[in-house]
Amino acid sequence: DPDALHRVGVSVWERYTGDWLRTSVSGYWYRADRLITLAPTSDPAAVLGITYANQGEVRARAAEFEAQMRLWRGWQAAGSYAWQRAINRDTASDLPNSPRHMVKARLSLPLLGRGDVLALEGIVLGERRTLLGNRVAPAATLHATWTQPLGRSWEIVGTIRNLLDAEYVDPASSQHAQEVIPQNGRTARIGLRWKVGGR
């Protein structure tokens, strides 16, 4: 948005322990003015009466802790925790669909020694506010991805999203009739990926 004003501050601390562990702590604050938002009144001359305006102010601050580890025989692990708060300055309330807490963990391991790798990733989102001011429950999902290289530039990628078939919802936007939207259960896909400049 060219008419919005953005101000950002970031600080990062990072440390390596040998060649097997990297830890970091980061924080930021963010301020944005004159964001594009849905106008409070309809415009009969506009399509469907919907118009947008540059108004409102958002402020956010956050801290994140992260660790990455190289383990035994090619195993790798990573984990992070983020605390954040983003508020609408006009209403002094949390932004919709903005969790205060988020946890991520990832474990990857070689399988049969042909360069293929299995990665498991877990994500936990804290409760989030809807547009009506209600809260949706925290959500935890687990995903699995298998990657098999085919030469230097191609690889087969298979993914199972929401491996444990968890039931959860996300807050809807102002363009939806419902307050929350149920998310997909377990889904799977497989594809062929080309790596630009593969080595």
Side-chain angles (χ1 to χ4, degrees):
D1 178 6
D3 294 322
L5 297 178
H6 303 278
R7 299 173 181 86
V8 181
V10 180
S11 59
V12 178
W13 174 89
E14 187 176 49
R15 179 175 180 176
Y16 287 83
T17 302
D19 61 353
W20 70 277
L21 175 64
R22 183 186 73 85
T23 53
S24 67
V25 179
S26 59
Y28 76 85
W29 64 268
Y30 178 89
R31 177 181 173 183
D33 302 331
R34 300 203 299 269
L35 296 175
I36 294 180
T37 57
L38 187 66
T41 58
S42 61
D43 182 356
V47 177
L48 300 178
I50 298 175
T51 58
Y52 293 86
N54 284 94
Q55 59 186 14
E57 178 182 330
V58 169
R59 291 190 180 182
R61 61 184 187 274
E64 183 173 6
F65 308 88
E66 183 180 13
Q68 294 181 343
M69 294 165 282
R70 293 182 178 180
L71 304 175
W72 180 68
R73 292 192 175 181
W75 289 47
Q76 296 185 33
S80 67
Y81 164 75
W83 174 90
Q84 61 184 5
R85 189 180 185 196
I87 62 172
N88 183 326
R89 291 287 292 176
D90 294 335
T91 62
S93 60
D94 291 346
L95 292 185
N97 201 18
S98 178
R100 288 279 187 95
H101 307 277
M102 183 166 58
V103 178
K104 293 183 178 180
R106 179 182 176 88
L107 176 67
S108 61
L109 57 149
L111 291 180
L112 303 177
R114 301 192 304 252
D116 52 339
V117 174
L118 174 65
L120 299 173
E121 181 182 34
I123 301 175
V124 179
L125 295 176
E127 65 177 20
R128 291 160 290 164
R129 177 179 171 272
T130 70
L131 286 173
L132 298 181
N134 298 313
R135 297 278 177 174
V136 301
T141 53
L142 179 66
H143 315 294
T145 301
W146 168 72
T147 305
Q148 172 63 65
L150 299 175
R152 298 175 58 185
S153 300
W154 294 91
E155 57 189 14
I156 298 174
V157 180
T159 302
I160 301 178
R161 304 284 298 177
N162 196 359
L163 182 64
L164 302 181
D165 201 25
E167 295 183 3
Y168 67 103
V169 297
D170 284 344
S173 73
S174 58
Q175 302 302 306
H176 296 96
Q178 64 269 54
E179 184 181 9
V180 297
I181 300 176
Q183 299 302 296
N184 292 332
R186 185 185 301 111
T187 58
R189 66 181 182 185
I190 189 168
L192 189 63
R193 183 165 62 192
W194 176 52
K195 300 184 294 182
V196 177
R199 297 178 180 177

Short mmCIF file of all heavy atoms in Angstrom, two decimals, residues 79-145:
data_model
loop_
_atom_site.label_atom_id
_atom_site.label_comp_id
_atom_site.label_asym_id
_atom_site.label_seq_id
_atom_site.Cartn_x
_atom_site.Cartn_y
_atom_site.Cartn_z
N GLY A 79 13.22 -25.94 16.51
CA GLY A 79 12.04 -25.57 17.27
C GLY A 79 12.04 -24.08 17.53
O GLY A 79 13.09 -23.44 17.59
N SER A 80 10.85 -23.50 17.66
CA SER A 80 10.75 -22.08 17.94
C SER A 80 9.48 -21.78 18.72
O SER A 80 8.49 -22.52 18.64
CB SER A 80 10.77 -21.26 16.64
OG SER A 80 9.59 -21.52 15.88
N TYR A 81 9.55 -20.72 19.49
CA TYR A 81 8.38 -20.21 20.20
C TYR A 81 8.31 -18.72 19.95
O TYR A 81 9.33 -18.00 20.07
CB TYR A 81 8.48 -20.47 21.70
CG TYR A 81 7.49 -19.64 22.50
CD1 TYR A 81 6.14 -19.95 22.52
CD2 TYR A 81 7.92 -18.51 23.20
CE1 TYR A 81 5.24 -19.18 23.23
CE2 TYR A 81 7.03 -17.74 23.91
CZ TYR A 81 5.68 -18.07 23.92
OH TYR A 81 4.78 -17.29 24.61
N ALA A 82 7.13 -18.23 19.61
CA ALA A 82 6.95 -16.81 19.35
C ALA A 82 5.81 -16.27 20.20
O ALA A 82 4.74 -16.89 20.28
CB ALA A 82 6.67 -16.55 17.87
N TRP A 83 6.06 -15.14 20.84
CA TRP A 83 5.01 -14.38 21.51
C TRP A 83 4.82 -13.10 20.74
O TRP A 83 5.80 -12.43 20.37
CB TRP A 83 5.40 -14.05 22.95
CG TRP A 83 4.38 -13.15 23.60
CD1 TRP A 83 3.29 -13.54 24.31
CD2 TRP A 83 4.37 -11.71 23.60
NE1 TRP A 83 2.58 -12.43 24.74
CE2 TRP A 83 3.23 -11.29 24.32
CE3 TRP A 83 5.21 -10.74 23.04
CZ2 TRP A 83 2.91 -9.95 24.49
CZ3 TRP A 83 4.88 -9.40 23.22
CH2 TRP A 83 3.75 -9.02 23.94
N GLN A 84 3.57 -12.75 20.47
CA GLN A 84 3.33 -11.54 19.70
C GLN A 84 2.00 -10.91 20.12
O GLN A 84 1.11 -11.59 20.64
CB GLN A 84 3.29 -11.85 18.19
CG GLN A 84 2.19 -12.83 17.80
CD GLN A 84 2.23 -13.18 16.33
OE1 GLN A 84 3.12 -12.77 15.60
NE2 GLN A 84 1.24 -13.92 15.88
N ARG A 85 1.91 -9.63 19.89
CA ARG A 85 0.64 -8.95 20.10
C ARG A 85 0.50 -7.85 19.06
O ARG A 85 1.37 -6.99 18.92
CB ARG A 85 0.51 -8.35 21.50
CG ARG A 85 -0.91 -7.86 21.74
CD ARG A 85 -1.14 -7.26 23.09
NE ARG A 85 -2.56 -6.93 23.25
CZ ARG A 85 -3.05 -6.13 24.17
NH1 ARG A 85 -2.23 -5.58 25.06
NH2 ARG A 85 -4.34 -5.88 24.25
N ALA A 86 -0.59 -7.90 18.32
CA ALA A 86 -0.90 -6.89 17.33
C ALA A 86 -2.27 -6.31 17.67
O ALA A 86 -3.23 -7.05 17.84
CB ALA A 86 -0.92 -7.50 15.92
N ILE A 87 -2.34 -5.00 17.78
CA ILE A 87 -3.59 -4.37 18.19
C ILE A 87 -4.02 -3.30 17.20
O ILE A 87 -3.20 -2.69 16.51
CB ILE A 87 -3.46 -3.74 19.60
CG1 ILE A 87 -2.40 -2.63 19.61
CG2 ILE A 87 -3.14 -4.80 20.63
CD1 ILE A 87 -2.37 -1.85 20.92
N ASN A 88 -5.31 -3.08 17.16
CA ASN A 88 -5.91 -1.98 16.42
C ASN A 88 -5.96 -0.78 17.37
O ASN A 88 -6.62 -0.82 18.40
CB ASN A 88 -7.32 -2.36 15.98
CG ASN A 88 -7.99 -1.28 15.14
OD1 ASN A 88 -7.78 -0.09 15.36
ND2 ASN A 88 -8.80 -1.71 14.20
N ARG A 89 -5.24 0.29 17.03
CA ARG A 89 -5.14 1.42 17.94
C ARG A 89 -6.48 2.13 18.12
O ARG A 89 -6.73 2.75 19.14
CB ARG A 89 -4.10 2.41 17.41
CG ARG A 89 -2.68 1.88 17.48
CD ARG A 89 -2.17 1.86 18.89
NE ARG A 89 -2.00 3.20 19.43
CZ ARG A 89 -1.64 3.48 20.67
NH1 ARG A 89 -1.42 2.50 21.53
NH2 ARG A 89 -1.49 4.72 21.09
N ASP A 90 -7.37 2.04 17.13
CA ASP A 90 -8.67 2.71 17.24
C ASP A 90 -9.57 2.04 18.27
O ASP A 90 -10.34 2.70 18.97
CB ASP A 90 -9.37 2.74 15.89
CG ASP A 90 -8.63 3.59 14.87
OD1 ASP A 90 -7.89 4.51 15.30
OD2 ASP A 90 -8.78 3.35 13.67
N THR A 91 -9.46 0.71 18.37
CA THR A 91 -10.33 -0.03 19.28
C THR A 91 -9.59 -0.59 20.50
O THR A 91 -10.23 -1.11 21.40
CB THR A 91 -11.02 -1.19 18.54
OG1 THR A 91 -10.01 -2.10 18.07
CG2 THR A 91 -11.82 -0.67 17.35
N ALA A 92 -8.25 -0.52 20.47
CA ALA A 92 -7.41 -1.07 21.55
C ALA A 92 -7.64 -2.56 21.74
O ALA A 92 -7.46 -3.09 22.83
CB ALA A 92 -7.66 -0.33 22.86
N SER A 93 -8.02 -3.25 20.68
CA SER A 93 -8.28 -4.69 20.75
C SER A 93 -7.31 -5.45 19.85
O SER A 93 -6.73 -4.89 18.91
CB SER A 93 -9.71 -5.01 20.33
OG SER A 93 -9.96 -4.58 19.00
N ASP A 94 -7.12 -6.74 20.15
CA ASP A 94 -6.25 -7.57 19.33
C ASP A 94 -6.80 -7.67 17.92
O ASP A 94 -8.02 -7.67 17.70
CB ASP A 94 -6.15 -8.98 19.92
CG ASP A 94 -5.39 -9.00 21.23
OD1 ASP A 94 -4.72 -8.00 21.54
OD2 ASP A 94 -5.46 -10.02 21.93
N LEU A 95 -5.90 -7.78 16.95
CA LEU A 95 -6.34 -7.98 15.57
C LEU A 95 -6.96 -9.36 15.43
O LEU A 95 -6.50 -10.33 16.06
CB LEU A 95 -5.15 -7.87 14.61
CG LEU A 95 -4.52 -6.49 14.44
CD1 LEU A 95 -3.45 -6.57 13.36
CD2 LEU A 95 -5.55 -5.44 14.08
N PRO A 96 -7.98 -9.50 14.60
CA PRO A 96 -8.56 -10.83 14.35
C PRO A 96 -7.52 -11.77 13.74
O PRO A 96 -6.64 -11.34 13.00
CB PRO A 96 -9.70 -10.53 13.36
CG PRO A 96 -10.02 -9.09 13.55
CD PRO A 96 -8.72 -8.43 13.90
N ASN A 97 -7.63 -13.05 14.08
CA ASN A 97 -6.79 -14.11 13.53
C ASN A 97 -5.31 -13.86 13.79
O ASN A 97 -4.45 -14.22 12.98
CB ASN A 97 -7.04 -14.29 12.03
CG ASN A 97 -6.61 -15.64 11.53
OD1 ASN A 97 -6.41 -16.57 12.30
ND2 ASN A 97 -6.44 -15.77 10.23
N SER A 98 -4.99 -13.26 14.93
CA SER A 98 -3.60 -13.00 15.31
C SER A 98 -3.32 -13.67 16.65
O SER A 98 -3.69 -13.14 17.70
CB SER A 98 -3.35 -11.49 15.40
OG SER A 98 -2.01 -11.23 15.80
N PRO A 99 -2.69 -14.83 16.65
CA PRO A 99 -2.46 -15.55 17.91
C PRO A 99 -1.39 -14.87 18.75
O PRO A 99 -0.41 -14.33 18.23
CB PRO A 99 -2.00 -16.94 17.45
CG PRO A 99 -1.37 -16.68 16.11
CD PRO A 99 -2.16 -15.56 15.49
N ARG A 100 -1.54 -14.93 20.07
CA ARG A 100 -0.52 -14.41 20.98
C ARG A 100 0.69 -15.35 21.03
O ARG A 100 1.81 -14.91 21.19
CB ARG A 100 -1.10 -14.27 22.39
CG ARG A 100 -2.08 -13.14 22.58
CD ARG A 100 -1.38 -11.81 22.78
NE ARG A 100 -2.34 -10.78 23.12
CZ ARG A 100 -2.64 -10.43 24.36
NH1 ARG A 100 -2.03 -11.02 25.37
NH2 ARG A 100 -3.51 -9.47 24.59
N HIS A 101 0.43 -16.65 20.94
CA HIS A 101 1.49 -17.65 21.09
C HIS A 101 1.52 -18.57 19.86
O HIS A 101 0.47 -18.96 19.34
CB HIS A 101 1.27 -18.49 22.34
CG HIS A 101 1.08 -17.68 23.58
ND1 HIS A 101 2.13 -17.17 24.30
CD2 HIS A 101 -0.06 -17.27 24.21
CE1 HIS A 101 1.66 -16.48 25.33
NE2 HIS A 101 0.34 -16.52 25.30
N MET A 102 2.73 -18.93 19.43
CA MET A 102 2.89 -19.87 18.33
C MET A 102 4.14 -20.71 18.56
O MET A 102 5.22 -20.17 18.87
CB MET A 102 2.98 -19.15 16.98
CG MET A 102 3.08 -20.08 15.79
SD MET A 102 2.79 -19.23 14.20
CE MET A 102 4.07 -17.98 14.26
N VAL A 103 3.98 -22.02 18.44
CA VAL A 103 5.09 -22.96 18.64
C VAL A 103 5.26 -23.79 17.37
O VAL A 103 4.27 -24.27 16.79
CB VAL A 103 4.83 -23.90 19.83
CG1 VAL A 103 5.97 -24.90 19.98
CG2 VAL A 103 4.67 -23.09 21.12
N LYS A 104 6.50 -23.95 16.93
CA LYS A 104 6.80 -24.79 15.77
C LYS A 104 7.93 -25.75 16.13
O LYS A 104 8.88 -25.37 16.83
CB LYS A 104 7.22 -23.95 14.56
CG LYS A 104 6.12 -23.07 13.98
CD LYS A 104 6.63 -22.34 12.74
CE LYS A 104 5.55 -21.49 12.12
NZ LYS A 104 6.03 -20.78 10.90
N ALA A 105 7.84 -26.97 15.63
CA ALA A 105 8.90 -27.95 15.82
C ALA A 105 9.04 -28.77 14.54
O ALA A 105 8.02 -29.09 13.90
CB ALA A 105 8.60 -28.86 17.00
N ARG A 106 10.27 -29.10 14.19
CA ARG A 106 10.52 -29.84 12.94
C ARG A 106 11.63 -30.86 13.17
O ARG A 106 12.66 -30.55 13.79
CB ARG A 106 10.90 -28.88 11.81
CG ARG A 106 11.18 -29.56 10.47
CD ARG A 106 11.60 -28.53 9.43
NE ARG A 106 11.97 -29.12 8.18
CZ ARG A 106 11.13 -29.38 7.20
NH1 ARG A 106 9.84 -29.10 7.32
NH2 ARG A 106 11.55 -29.94 6.06
N LEU A 107 11.41 -32.07 12.67
CA LEU A 107 12.41 -33.13 12.73
C LEU A 107 12.54 -33.73 11.34
O LEU A 107 11.54 -34.13 10.74
CB LEU A 107 11.99 -34.21 13.73
CG LEU A 107 12.89 -35.44 13.82
CD1 LEU A 107 14.25 -35.05 14.40
CD2 LEU A 107 12.24 -36.53 14.67
N SER A 108 13.76 -33.78 10.83
CA SER A 108 14.00 -34.39 9.52
C SER A 108 15.05 -35.47 9.66
O SER A 108 16.03 -35.32 10.40
CB SER A 108 14.43 -33.34 8.49
OG SER A 108 15.63 -32.71 8.87
N LEU A 109 14.86 -36.56 8.91
CA LEU A 109 15.78 -37.70 9.01
C LEU A 109 15.90 -38.39 7.67
O LEU A 109 14.92 -38.50 6.92
CB LEU A 109 15.29 -38.69 10.06
CG LEU A 109 13.88 -39.28 9.87
CD1 LEU A 109 13.84 -40.68 10.45
CD2 LEU A 109 12.83 -38.42 10.56
N PRO A 110 17.10 -38.85 7.33
CA PRO A 110 17.29 -39.62 6.11
C PRO A 110 16.64 -40.99 6.26
O PRO A 110 16.59 -41.55 7.36
CB PRO A 110 18.81 -39.72 5.98
CG PRO A 110 19.32 -39.56 7.37
CD PRO A 110 18.36 -38.66 8.07
N LEU A 111 16.17 -41.54 5.13
CA LEU A 111 15.48 -42.82 5.21
C LEU A 111 16.34 -43.98 4.73
O LEU A 111 16.97 -44.67 5.52
CB LEU A 111 14.19 -42.75 4.40
CG LEU A 111 13.09 -41.83 4.98
CD1 LEU A 111 11.87 -41.84 4.10
CD2 LEU A 111 12.73 -42.26 6.40
N LEU A 112 16.42 -44.20 3.43
CA LEU A 112 17.05 -45.41 2.91
C LEU A 112 18.43 -45.16 2.32
O LEU A 112 18.96 -46.01 1.61
CB LEU A 112 16.13 -46.03 1.85
CG LEU A 112 14.73 -46.39 2.35
CD1 LEU A 112 13.89 -46.94 1.20
CD2 LEU A 112 14.79 -47.40 3.49
N GLY A 113 19.00 -44.01 2.59
CA GLY A 113 20.36 -43.75 2.12
C GLY A 113 20.46 -43.38 0.66
O GLY A 113 21.54 -43.35 0.12
N ARG A 114 19.34 -43.07 0.00
CA ARG A 114 19.36 -42.66 -1.40
C ARG A 114 19.13 -41.16 -1.55
O ARG A 114 18.76 -40.69 -2.60
CB ARG A 114 18.27 -43.42 -2.17
CG ARG A 114 18.40 -44.93 -2.13
CD ARG A 114 17.47 -45.56 -3.16
NE ARG A 114 16.10 -45.13 -2.93
CZ ARG A 114 15.14 -45.93 -2.44
NH1 ARG A 114 15.43 -47.18 -2.12
NH2 ARG A 114 13.90 -45.49 -2.27
N GLY A 115 19.34 -40.44 -0.46
CA GLY A 115 19.13 -39.00 -0.49
C GLY A 115 17.73 -38.60 -0.11
O GLY A 115 17.42 -37.40 -0.05
N ASP A 116 16.84 -39.58 0.12
CA ASP A 116 15.48 -39.22 0.48
C ASP A 116 15.40 -38.85 1.96
O ASP A 116 16.13 -39.37 2.79
CB ASP A 116 14.50 -40.35 0.16
CG ASP A 116 14.93 -41.68 0.74
OD1 ASP A 116 16.13 -41.83 1.03
OD2 ASP A 116 14.08 -42.56 0.91
N VAL A 117 14.50 -37.91 2.26
CA VAL A 117 14.38 -37.35 3.60
C VAL A 117 12.91 -37.30 4.00
O VAL A 117 12.05 -36.95 3.19
CB VAL A 117 14.98 -35.93 3.65
CG1 VAL A 117 14.73 -35.28 5.01
CG2 VAL A 117 16.46 -35.96 3.34
N LEU A 118 12.63 -37.66 5.24
CA LEU A 118 11.30 -37.52 5.81
C LEU A 118 11.34 -36.39 6.83
O LEU A 118 12.21 -36.38 7.72
CB LEU A 118 10.85 -38.81 6.49
CG LEU A 118 9.51 -38.73 7.25
CD1 LEU A 118 8.37 -38.48 6.28
CD2 LEU A 118 9.28 -40.00 8.05
N ALA A 119 10.43 -35.45 6.72
CA ALA A 119 10.37 -34.32 7.66
C ALA A 119 9.00 -34.29 8.31
O ALA A 119 7.97 -34.41 7.64
CB ALA A 119 10.63 -33.00 6.93
N LEU A 120 8.99 -34.16 9.63
CA LEU A 120 7.76 -34.02 10.41
C LEU A 120 7.75 -32.62 11.00
O LEU A 120 8.74 -32.19 11.61
CB LEU A 120 7.69 -35.06 11.52
CG LEU A 120 7.68 -36.52 11.08
CD1 LEU A 120 7.78 -37.44 12.30
CD2 LEU A 120 6.42 -36.84 10.28
N GLU A 121 6.64 -31.92 10.84
CA GLU A 121 6.53 -30.55 11.35
C GLU A 121 5.24 -30.40 12.14
O GLU A 121 4.16 -30.73 11.65
CB GLU A 121 6.56 -29.54 10.20
CG GLU A 121 6.48 -28.09 10.68
CD GLU A 121 6.46 -27.10 9.54
OE1 GLU A 121 5.89 -27.44 8.48
OE2 GLU A 121 7.00 -26.00 9.69
N GLY A 122 5.37 -29.91 13.36
CA GLY A 122 4.22 -29.64 14.21
C GLY A 122 4.07 -28.15 14.45
O GLY A 122 5.06 -27.44 14.63
N ILE A 123 2.83 -27.67 14.42
CA ILE A 123 2.54 -26.25 14.62
C ILE A 123 1.40 -26.12 15.62
O ILE A 123 0.38 -26.80 15.50
CB ILE A 123 2.15 -25.56 13.29
CG1 ILE A 123 3.28 -25.69 12.26
CG2 ILE A 123 1.83 -24.09 13.53
CD1 ILE A 123 2.91 -25.14 10.90
N VAL A 124 1.60 -25.27 16.61
CA VAL A 124 0.56 -24.98 17.59
C VAL A 124 0.28 -23.48 17.57
O VAL A 124 1.20 -22.68 17.75
CB VAL A 124 0.98 -25.41 19.01
CG1 VAL A 124 -0.13 -25.06 20.01
CG2 VAL A 124 1.29 -26.89 19.06
N LEU A 125 -0.96 -23.11 17.32
CA LEU A 125 -1.39 -21.72 17.34
C LEU A 125 -2.25 -21.49 18.57
O LEU A 125 -3.15 -22.27 18.87
CB LEU A 125 -2.22 -21.38 16.08
CG LEU A 125 -1.51 -21.45 14.74
CD1 LEU A 125 -2.51 -21.17 13.62
CD2 LEU A 125 -0.37 -20.44 14.68
N GLY A 126 -1.97 -20.40 19.29
CA GLY A 126 -2.80 -20.05 20.43
C GLY A 126 -4.17 -19.58 19.99
O GLY A 126 -4.46 -19.46 18.79
N GLU A 127 -5.04 -19.30 20.95
CA GLU A 127 -6.38 -18.85 20.61
C GLU A 127 -6.32 -17.54 19.86
O GLU A 127 -5.40 -16.73 20.04
CB GLU A 127 -7.24 -18.73 21.86
CG GLU A 127 -6.80 -17.67 22.84
CD GLU A 127 -7.76 -17.56 24.02
OE1 GLU A 127 -8.52 -18.51 24.28
OE2 GLU A 127 -7.74 -16.50 24.67
N ARG A 128 -7.32 -17.32 19.00
CA ARG A 128 -7.36 -16.14 18.15
C ARG A 128 -8.73 -15.49 18.23
O ARG A 128 -9.74 -16.15 18.44
CB ARG A 128 -7.04 -16.52 16.70
CG ARG A 128 -5.59 -16.95 16.49
CD ARG A 128 -5.42 -17.74 15.23
NE ARG A 128 -6.04 -19.07 15.34
CZ ARG A 128 -6.32 -19.86 14.29
NH1 ARG A 128 -6.05 -19.46 13.08
NH2 ARG A 128 -6.86 -21.03 14.50
N ARG A 129 -8.76 -14.20 18.02
CA ARG A 129 -9.99 -13.42 18.09
C ARG A 129 -10.69 -13.41 16.74
O ARG A 129 -10.05 -13.33 15.69
CB ARG A 129 -9.66 -11.99 18.52
CG ARG A 129 -10.84 -11.04 18.58
CD ARG A 129 -10.37 -9.66 19.05
NE ARG A 129 -11.43 -8.67 18.93
CZ ARG A 129 -11.67 -7.96 17.83
NH1 ARG A 129 -10.90 -8.13 16.77
NH2 ARG A 129 -12.64 -7.08 17.80
N THR A 130 -12.01 -13.48 16.74
CA THR A 130 -12.80 -13.34 15.52
C THR A 130 -13.22 -11.88 15.36
O THR A 130 -13.04 -11.05 16.26
CB THR A 130 -14.06 -14.22 15.56
OG1 THR A 130 -14.97 -13.69 16.53
CG2 THR A 130 -13.70 -15.66 15.91
N LEU A 131 -13.81 -11.56 14.22
CA LEU A 131 -14.27 -10.20 13.97
C LEU A 131 -15.36 -9.78 14.95
O LEU A 131 -15.53 -8.59 15.23
CB LEU A 131 -14.78 -10.07 12.54
CG LEU A 131 -13.72 -10.02 11.43
CD1 LEU A 131 -14.38 -10.06 10.06
CD2 LEU A 131 -12.86 -8.77 11.57
N LEU A 132 -16.11 -10.74 15.48
CA LEU A 132 -17.18 -10.45 16.44
C LEU A 132 -16.67 -10.37 17.87
O LEU A 132 -17.45 -10.16 18.80
CB LEU A 132 -18.29 -11.49 16.32
CG LEU A 132 -19.02 -11.56 14.97
CD1 LEU A 132 -20.11 -12.61 15.00
CD2 LEU A 132 -19.58 -10.19 14.59
N GLY A 133 -15.37 -10.58 18.06
CA GLY A 133 -14.81 -10.48 19.39
C GLY A 133 -14.75 -11.78 20.16
O GLY A 133 -14.28 -11.80 21.30
N ASN A 134 -15.24 -12.87 19.58
CA ASN A 134 -15.15 -14.17 20.23
C ASN A 134 -13.76 -14.77 20.03
O ASN A 134 -12.96 -14.26 19.25
CB ASN A 134 -16.23 -15.10 19.69
CG ASN A 134 -17.63 -14.58 19.99
OD1 ASN A 134 -17.92 -14.17 21.11
ND2 ASN A 134 -18.49 -14.57 18.98
N ARG A 135 -13.49 -15.88 20.67
CA ARG A 135 -12.18 -16.53 20.58
C ARG A 135 -12.34 -17.95 20.04
O ARG A 135 -13.28 -18.66 20.42
CB ARG A 135 -11.52 -16.59 21.96
CG ARG A 135 -11.22 -15.23 22.57
CD ARG A 135 -9.94 -14.65 22.03
NE ARG A 135 -9.67 -13.32 22.55
CZ ARG A 135 -8.55 -12.64 22.32
NH1 ARG A 135 -7.60 -13.20 21.60
NH2 ARG A 135 -8.37 -11.43 22.80
N VAL A 136 -11.44 -18.36 19.16
CA VAL A 136 -11.41 -19.74 18.71
C VAL A 136 -10.35 -20.48 19.51
O VAL A 136 -9.36 -19.89 19.95
CB VAL A 136 -11.12 -19.86 17.19
CG1 VAL A 136 -12.17 -19.12 16.38
CG2 VAL A 136 -9.73 -19.33 16.85
N ALA A 137 -10.56 -21.76 19.71
CA ALA A 137 -9.66 -22.56 20.55
C ALA A 137 -8.28 -22.70 19.89
O ALA A 137 -8.16 -22.59 18.67
CB ALA A 137 -10.28 -23.94 20.78
N PRO A 138 -7.24 -22.94 20.68
CA PRO A 138 -5.93 -23.22 20.10
C PRO A 138 -5.98 -24.39 19.14
O PRO A 138 -6.83 -25.28 19.27
CB PRO A 138 -5.07 -23.54 21.34
CG PRO A 138 -5.75 -22.87 22.47
CD PRO A 138 -7.22 -22.93 22.15
N ALA A 139 -5.09 -24.39 18.16
CA ALA A 139 -5.07 -25.44 17.13
C ALA A 139 -3.68 -26.04 17.05
O ALA A 139 -2.67 -25.32 17.06
CB ALA A 139 -5.47 -24.87 15.77
N ALA A 140 -3.62 -27.38 16.97
CA ALA A 140 -2.34 -28.09 16.84
C ALA A 140 -2.43 -29.02 15.64
O ALA A 140 -3.39 -29.80 15.52
CB ALA A 140 -2.03 -28.88 18.10
N THR A 141 -1.48 -28.94 14.74
CA THR A 141 -1.47 -29.78 13.55
C THR A 141 -0.08 -30.38 13.34
O THR A 141 0.93 -29.81 13.75
CB THR A 141 -1.86 -28.99 12.28
OG1 THR A 141 -1.02 -27.83 12.18
CG2 THR A 141 -3.32 -28.57 12.34
N LEU A 142 -0.05 -31.54 12.68
CA LEU A 142 1.19 -32.23 12.36
C LEU A 142 1.21 -32.54 10.87
O LEU A 142 0.21 -33.03 10.32
CB LEU A 142 1.30 -33.53 13.17
CG LEU A 142 2.55 -34.38 12.93
CD1 LEU A 142 3.80 -33.64 13.40
CD2 LEU A 142 2.43 -35.73 13.64
N HIS A 143 2.33 -32.24 10.22
CA HIS A 143 2.47 -32.44 8.78
C HIS A 143 3.70 -33.31 8.50
O HIS A 143 4.69 -33.24 9.23
CB HIS A 143 2.60 -31.11 8.05
CG HIS A 143 1.62 -30.08 8.51
ND1 HIS A 143 0.27 -30.20 8.32
CD2 HIS A 143 1.80 -28.90 9.17
CE1 HIS A 143 -0.34 -29.15 8.83
NE2 HIS A 143 0.57 -28.34 9.35
N ALA A 144 3.64 -34.10 7.45
CA ALA A 144 4.75 -34.96 7.06
C ALA A 144 5.08 -34.74 5.58
O ALA A 144 4.17 -34.66 4.75
CB ALA A 144 4.41 -36.43 7.30
N THR A 145 6.38 -34.62 5.28
CA THR A 145 6.82 -34.41 3.90
C THR A 145 7.97 -35.37 3.59
O THR A 145 8.94 -35.45 4.35
CB THR A 145 7.29 -32.96 3.68
OG1 THR A 145 6.21 -32.08 3.97
CG2 THR A 145 7.73 -32.75 2.23
#
